[in-house]
Amino acid sequence: MMKNSLFILLVSGLSACTSAPSMLEYDWSGKEVSCESTLMLSDSSLLGVAGLNMVGADDAVLYVRGGEYCLTLCRIEGDSLLWQRNLLRRGRGPGEAMNPVVHELPEFDRLCVFRNNGAYTEEVYWLDGVEGGADRKWDIRRMPDKDPVRLTLPVDTARFLAEVPFGTDEMIGLYTYGQSEVVSIGLNYPAELAQYSPQRKAMVLGGFVAKCPGKNTFVYSSQQGRFVQIFDLQDDRAVNVRTVYNEMPRFDLDEANGGIRFRNESQLGFWVFATANYIYLLDAGMCIGEMRQGRQGERTVNVFDWDGNPVRKLRFDRNFDMFSVDPEDKYLYFNTTDIEAGMEQIRRVAL
């Protein structure tokens, strides 16, 4: 489950317009699929489960909101979730984490977790796969104390996409473990934001990044507006950049405080998940004004291949916020709440 870097600052002030080229839109005629979800049975309580991340065809890491452990491992057998073991203890000390995100690198058979402290990453945790007993330990690497860095996503076992230093006029940088600074990869902000400072650009287009497993190919999706780009990383540079969506967020400036406020009519962006075959973009189906009013839009998932071609639009029988797909693109899993019973559920959809 991908929950990567996000920057939002809500303030009010002067008006600012973002001019843009013709917006990229897609004809989903003949590509829409209605999906019916089925309940996954569990041999243990799912109380507090906030999401899951598939780490193979039959294993899932569950994110837990409360309790002693923040990550647990379950195995999928048929339509059942079978508890295997706890993976990571909740806390702020070494070998612990509060709200971790698991990144899987199947080409290395490793799991990666960042322990973040505010604006930077303190430690990187590695685990060699999920097989083995409960006594297996995470390999913990301490990040340098000087010139702290906030990591976003592992590229391999030594390099990471990272937030660029304050004031840098690029969307994403590259950090190599043991080095002292984040370096440029040449992924620039779109021309529509050229008039704004790097700080404001980061506020406007903060978002999510996902990796194509086994390749140095990535997809970036903005949290606000609908701006999505695919790029390859070659010789530590972003190349072959292709734009899937180009709708800029709509916002107002506050010159006094140096911030921005997103307008009510600005669209919410896509949350992104990726497999080796496809990119899955979760559309909240509403603008930010509707979200501020507490409304619920219809969740759909737009599926693209890694060349940026539209494949399918998935519609569901209930709403959810995040999801995971198995590596073979057979099932999509999501967590939701049974309102009547007040209990968390894991459900899945056959793709």
Side-chain angles (χ1 to χ4, degrees):
M1 187 176 70
M2 312 292 301
K3 272 193 306 188
N4 294 311
S5 300
L6 160 64
F7 308 92
I8 303 179
L9 182 58
L10 299 180
V11 291
S12 61
L14 304 176
S15 174
C17 297
T18 55
S19 59
S22 298
M23 285 189 295
L24 292 172
E25 298 180 350
Y26 298 92
D27 181 5
W28 297 101
S29 301
K31 297 184 175 73
E32 296 194 35
V33 179
S34 296
C35 302
E36 183 176 350
S37 64
T38 57
L39 177 66
M40 298 292 293
L41 305 176
S42 176
D43 66 347
S44 59
S45 172
L46 295 178
L47 183 65
V49 169
L52 76 162
N53 196 5
M54 296 300 298
V55 288
D58 302 314
D59 292 302
V61 173
L62 302 186
Y63 300 94
V64 185
R65 293 189 187 93
E68 184 179 359
Y69 291 90
C70 57
L71 296 178
T72 62
L73 178 69
C74 287
R75 187 162 185 83
I76 295 174
E77 292 187 6
D79 61 355
S80 297
L81 280 170
L82 306 179
W83 184 89
Q84 299 296 294
R85 67 179 185 274
N86 296 314
L87 285 179
L88 187 61
R89 191 179 301 274
R90 185 183 310 281
R92 301 185 184 278
E96 301 174 334
M98 291 300 295
N99 298 295
V101 176
V102 173
H103 306 285
E104 183 191 16
L105 281 76
E107 61 269 40
F108 300 101
D109 191 27
R110 305 194 85 183
L111 303 183
C112 178
V113 168
F114 304 142
R115 183 167 77 85
N116 295 325
N117 181 7
Y120 60 93
T121 302
E122 289 190 331
E123 294 176 332
V124 181
Y125 302 163
W126 291 99
L127 188 67
D128 291 330
V130 295
E131 302 299 329
D135 58 343
R136 298 182 65 230
K137 303 296 184 182
W138 293 81
D139 175 19
I140 301 175
R141 299 183 186 179
R142 177 77 185 179
M143 292 287 289
D145 294 324
K146 184 180 180 181
D147 300 321
V149 173
R150 187 177 180 90
L151 304 179
T152 301
L153 190 72
V155 174
D156 49 38
T157 57
R159 297 179 300 159
F160 306 85
L161 295 183
E163 294 181 6
V164 295
F166 185 76
T168 303
D169 202 11
E170 288 194 17
M171 294 170 60
I172 304 170
L174 183 71
Y175 175 79
T176 301
Y177 188 78
Q179 300 299 312
S180 60
E181 61 183 11
V182 176
V183 299
S184 166
I185 63 171
L187 190 66
N188 299 318
Y189 286 101
E192 296 91 301
L193 299 180
Q195 63 182 301
Y196 303 108
S197 68
Q199 293 87 343
R200 285 208 174 101
K201 291 176 184 177
M203 295 174 194
V204 171
L205 277 189
F208 309 102
V209 189
K211 183 178 186 291
C212 179
K215 296 182 179 180
N216 281 343
T217 302
F218 303 84
V219 56
Y220 169 86
S221 178
S222 64
Q223 173 72 10
Q224 306 291 340
R226 295 183 173 183
F227 183 77
V228 179
Q229 285 189 329
I230 304 168
F231 64 94
D232 301 322
L233 193 64
Q234 182 178 324
D235 297 326
D236 292 349
R237 302 293 292 175
V239 299
N240 193 23
V241 179
R242 46 266 197 210
T243 301
V244 180
Y245 285 95
N246 63 345
E247 181 179 352
M248 292 291 104
R250 300 179 183 182
F251 60 93
D252 295 320
L253 296 183
D254 181 351
E255 296 291 352
N257 297 301
I260 63 171
R261 177 180 175 83
F262 294 106
R263 296 176 181 173
N264 285 334
E265 66 269 24
S266 187
Q267 289 289 330
L268 291 174
F270 300 105
W271 185 81
V272 61
F273 187 88
T275 66
N277 296 315
Y278 300 114
I279 297 166
Y280 296 82
L281 299 176
L282 175 61
D283 186 355
M286 60 181 173
C287 60
I288 195 168
E290 293 171 311
M291 182 191 71
R292 288 168 175 159
Q293 295 172 7
R295 297 180 183 177
Q296 290 286 329
E298 180 196 7
R299 266 47 169 186
T300 58
V301 172
N302 298 341
V303 185
F304 292 83
D305 64 23
W306 281 98
D307 291 323
N309 300 310
V311 177
R312 285 186 294 176
K313 177 185 280 288
L314 307 178
R315 297 188 180 276
F316 301 88
D317 56 0
R318 62 198 67 215
N319 281 340
F320 53 91
D321 292 322
M322 287 178 286
F323 61 90
S324 186
V325 179
D326 74 276
E328 298 177 354
D329 300 281
K330 290 183 177 180
Y331 294 102
L332 181 149
Y333 296 84
F334 63 88
N335 67 296
T336 186
T337 301
D338 184 332
I339 302 299
E340 294 183 0
M343 297 294 291
E344 285 84 355
Q345 297 179 340
I346 301 294
R347 304 184 71 90
R348 77 176 176 186
V349 167
L351 297 177

